[in-house]
Amino acid sequence: MAKPQRARRVLIIVENLPSPFDRRVWQEATTLQQAGYEVTIICPTGPGCERRFEILEGIHIHRHPLPLEAEGALGYLLEYGSALFWEFTLAWRVLFGRGFDAIHACNPPDLIFLVGGFFKLLLGKRFLFDHHDINPELYEAKFNRRDFFYRLMLRFERWTFRAADVSIATNESYRRIAIERGGMAPERVYVVRSGPKLDRLRVVDPVPALRQGRRYLVGYVGVMGAQEGIDLLLRSVAHIVLTMKRTDIHFGLVGGGTSLAAMKRYAQELGVADYVTFTGRVDDQQLLEMLNTADVCVNPDIANEMNDKSTMNKIMEYMALGKPIVQFDLTEGRVSAQQASLYARRNDEIDFAAKVVELIDDPQRRQTMGEFGRHRVNHELEWRYEAPKLLAAYDTLFGEPPARRA
């Protein structure tokens, strides 16, 4: 009798978010697990994910401590040094435990190739790079300069792609970077979008109390960081409330991040704190309540090289819930949302405010745009359309023909 083939074993390493909180990583991990792979994850701890080890849905999760999000060169050195120490330590623990045949590295930062490349060269393990963020552009967005560290980021990116056997990109813009700047063969770069799962993004009843006694609610979900444009959004709120005299609109902002406290203070300085609710990081139920109650959802991401080339999860989530969107005119934002969004002039908070009010005052247009977005997710963008692309990338990684999944 032929000996049964052992399941392929995958070690996913992610540094910037814990699992299962990181939705893209968790969708990938569960897809691989359901397809017969043995999946282990190394990630940091975080709110709601404090246990150092647990097994969820058959996936083994090893978590490690991580300093607070870096500020300055010393902060980054501490964060990245600590992360690499734990990633190497836990990778050895996994190797001598259930083992792994491939490392699936999720950036940022673009330093996990040191772990993947080490085990590839030493033990012949496969290495897949999951390109979440374009780090040189992220650095430029945060610090507004192209200096030694920007060039170093380009070098790390290049080394990561050189180490990778296969890479997966979140969109076509990232795929072009992998090929043109990273030097990867086109047939080894797969686009796997961060499509939402509709069993998580459920349509639920609105919660009128979230409007804080006002007629309309504008919703936002995402990180409160330097490049997310929350300051632009708050200036749009000030224009709507103080200049346009629209006191019938409330704004619900869901998410945590290093700029949360500063943005709360900024809302106070602008005189609009009473019109803005900052929830901080919340569970899925509270997020769903806010978005389902919202009449319009917004994405104020600043127009820069990074955001122009990046696909934002929040856009997909808004569309999945049938919400019309206002955002700045960015390349990948248009690719994702198409007719589900209005597009304000780049970084123009006044035009952004005008687009929000335009939608608020046109319920028929809101409904049409929301229905378009929901249909697009249902029939083109949901995770079930992306999962086969992930599995095809793994077929290439392990040199196996797609026919084995037929």
Side-chain angles (χ1 to χ4, degrees), residues 13 15 35 49 61 94 105 108 178 207 215 228 230 244 250 260 272 299 308 329 357 362 366 377 387 400:
I13 301 177
E15 193 251 75
C49 301
I61 306 174
V94 174
V207 179
R215 184 174 180 182
E228 276 71 31
I230 305 303
M244 301 180 77
H250 195 74
L260 178 58
V272 296
N299 174 32
D308 190 64
D329 194 358
V357 173
D362 193 341
R366 294 204 309 268
V377 169
E400 298 172 355

Side-chain angles (χ1 to χ4, degrees), residues 96-156:
F96 290 115
R98 70 191 320 224
F100 58 86
D101 303 301
I103 287 179
H104 176 142
C106 308
N107 82 331
D110 286 340
L111 289 176
I112 304 175
F113 80 92
L114 294 170
V115 184
F118 176 84
F119 285 100
K120 178 180 178 177
L121 291 174
L122 184 69
L123 298 173
K125 305 300 183 182
R126 313 293 175 91
F127 180 47
L128 181 146
F129 176 47
D130 191 352
H131 196 191
H132 290 192
D133 286 315
I134 39 180
N135 266 350
E137 286 82 358
L138 176 59
Y139 176 85
E140 184 181 19
K142 281 189 173 184
F143 301 106
N144 196 31
R145 59 180 182 263
R146 293 190 175 189
D147 54 9
F148 167 79
F149 291 105
Y150 175 86
R151 295 189 294 274
L152 186 62
M153 296 290 177
L154 286 172
R155 186 65 60 88
F156 288 156

Side-chain angles (χ1 to χ4, degrees), residues 180-231:
E180 296 170 6
R181 205 159 74 189
M184 289 207 72
E187 65 272 14
R188 304 192 77 81
V189 184
Y190 289 78
V191 174
V192 181
R193 295 182 178 275
S194 299
K197 294 185 76 172
L198 295 182
D199 59 352
R200 184 186 75 87
L201 288 165
R202 308 180 312 278
V203 175
V204 301
D205 291 336
V207 179
L210 294 175
R211 293 191 171 94
Q212 300 294 319
R214 299 185 173 95
R215 184 174 180 182
Y216 302 107
L217 178 69
V218 173
Y220 167 87
V221 59
V223 176
M224 302 286 168
Q227 64 273 9
E228 276 71 31
I230 305 303
D231 55 340

Side-chain angles (χ1 to χ4, degrees), residues 21 23 219-225 228 230 252-257 260 279-282 287 291 298-301 312-315 317-318:
F21 180 79
R23 293 187 289 277
Y220 167 87
V221 59
V223 176
M224 302 286 168
E228 276 71 31
I230 305 303
L253 279 56
V254 177
L260 178 58
T279 69
R281 182 182 289 185
V282 298
L287 179 148
L291 294 187
V298 293
N299 174 32
D301 284 331
M312 304 303 175
N313 289 339
K314 63 177 77 74
I315 295 296
E317 294 176 348
Y318 298 160

Side-chain angles (χ1 to χ4, degrees), residues 68-80 139 142-143 145 149 153:
L68 294 176
E69 188 173 335
E71 291 290 341
L74 183 60
Y76 280 104
L77 180 64
L78 179 63
E79 177 187 338
Y80 295 164
Y139 176 85
K142 281 189 173 184
F143 301 106
R145 59 180 182 263
F149 291 105
M153 296 290 177

Side-chain angles (χ1 to χ4, degrees), residues 258-273:
T258 55
S259 297
L260 178 58
M263 291 301 100
K264 288 181 176 180
R265 290 194 298 271
Y266 193 43
Q268 292 278 0
E269 292 169 13
L270 291 171
V272 296

